[in-house]
C-alpha cells in the first residue's frame, strides 16, 4: 500500500471513530433518563460510556437481548444520535411489554420530556411492580454483560425469573416475574419483531 493511501485510510478511520465517540460524549454529560430509580439511571449512564468504547458490542447486546432489529438500533444511534442508554431502555421496556422496540422509541421521541418513569407507568409498568423489577433486572444484566461480568444467565438475554431475576431492591421486594414469563412460546406475537 502506498504511504499516502495508508495515511488517508487511517485518517478516515479515525474521523469515523471520533464521530461515533462524539455522539456518545454528547449524552455522557447531562444524561438524565428519569426512570424513577436512581440505580437504573446510573446503569443507563454506564451503558452510554460502554457504547463509546464498544459501539458494536452495545448494538449486539440490544439486538441479542431484546430482539431489536440491528438496522433500527444503528439508525437511532448513528443517524438520530440518541443516547445509548435511551435506546437500551426503550428496547428493554418494549421487550417487557411484548411490543416492538420501534413502538417505544416513537413514544419516547414524542414524550421524552416526561422521562422514562412516566412513560413506563403510562405503558403499564408501575414502580415497584414485578414487571418493573424484571425490567430493572434486565438493565442490570445488560450492564453486567457490557462490563464483562455476564455469567451464564447474562449470556442468554433477559432472565426467565427466579431468585436472580433482578438486582437488590431498595424497596425490600422479592424477585419479580422474569421478562419472558408472560406468554412463554409466544414467538411472533410482539416480541422480537422490533418494528
Amino acid at each position: 500500500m502506498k504511504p499516502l493511501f495508508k495515511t488517508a485510510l487511517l485518517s478516515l478511520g479515525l474521523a469515523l471513530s471520533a464521530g461515533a465517540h462524539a455522539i456518545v460524549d454528547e449524552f455522557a454529560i447531562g444524561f438524565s433518563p428519569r426512570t424513577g430509580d436512581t440505580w437504573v439511571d446510573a446503569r443507563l449512564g454506564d451503558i452510554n460510556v460502554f457504547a463509546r468504547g464498544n459501539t458494536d458490542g452495545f448494538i449486539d447486546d440490544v439486538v441479542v437481548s431484546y430482539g431489536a432489529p440491528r438496522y433500527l438500533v444503528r439508525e437511532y444511534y448513528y443517524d438520530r444520535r440518541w443516547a445509548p442508554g435511551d435506546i437500551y431502555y426503550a428496547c428493554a421496556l418494549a421487550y417487557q411489554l411484548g411490543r416492538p422496540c420501534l413502538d417505544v422509541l416513537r413514544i419516547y421521541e414524542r414524550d421524552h420530556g416526561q422521562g422514562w418513569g412516566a412513560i413506563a407507568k403510562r405503558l403499564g409498568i408501575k414502580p415497584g411492580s414485578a414487571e418493573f423489577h424484571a425490567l430493572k433486572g434486565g438493565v442490570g444484566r445488560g450492564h453486567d454483560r457490557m462490563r464483562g461480568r455476564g455469567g451464564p444467565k447474562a449470556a442468554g438475554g433477559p432472565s426467565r425469573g427466579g431468585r436472580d431475576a433482578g438486582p437488590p431492591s431498595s424497596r425490600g421486594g422479592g424477585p419479580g416475574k422474569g421478562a419472558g414469563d408472560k406468554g412463554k412460546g409466544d414467538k411472533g406475537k410482539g416480541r422480537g419483531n422490533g418494528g
Side-chain angles (χ1 to χ4, degrees), residues 42-84:
R43 289 337 175 256
L44 294 175
D46 287 350
I47 288 171
N48 285 345
V49 174
F50 171 82
R52 180 180 194 270
N54 189 351
T55 304
D56 290 337
F58 161 74
I59 292 170
D60 288 346
D61 194 82
V62 176
V63 169
V64 170
S65 295
Y66 299 115
R70 185 172 302 280
Y71 78 87
L72 183 70
V73 178
R74 291 181 63 79
E75 175 188 337
Y76 274 79
Y77 181 84
Y78 287 111
D79 300 339
R80 296 177 184 243
R81 296 178 172 261
W82 274 42

Side-chain angles (χ1 to χ4, degrees), residues 28-117:
I29 298 172
F31 178 71
S32 179
R34 295 175 298 151
T35 63
D37 186 289
T38 57
W39 186 90
V40 174
D41 289 354
R43 289 337 175 256
L44 294 175
D46 287 350
I47 288 171
N48 285 345
V49 174
F50 171 82
R52 180 180 194 270
N54 189 351
T55 304
D56 290 337
F58 161 74
I59 292 170
D60 288 346
D61 194 82
V62 176
V63 169
V64 170
S65 295
Y66 299 115
R70 185 172 302 280
Y71 78 87
L72 183 70
V73 178
R74 291 181 63 79
E75 175 188 337
Y76 274 79
Y77 181 84
Y78 287 111
D79 300 339
R80 296 177 184 243
R81 296 178 172 261
W82 274 42
D86 286 333
I87 297 167
Y88 194 88
Y89 202 70
C91 293
L93 181 58
Y95 183 88
Q96 179 64 31
L97 294 167
R99 294 177 72 167
C101 185
L102 182 59
D103 286 357
V104 178
L105 287 166
R106 286 180 174 161
I107 290 167
Y108 189 70
E109 190 165 39
R110 184 184 64 229
D111 300 332
H112 66 274
Q114 298 173 8
W116 277 115

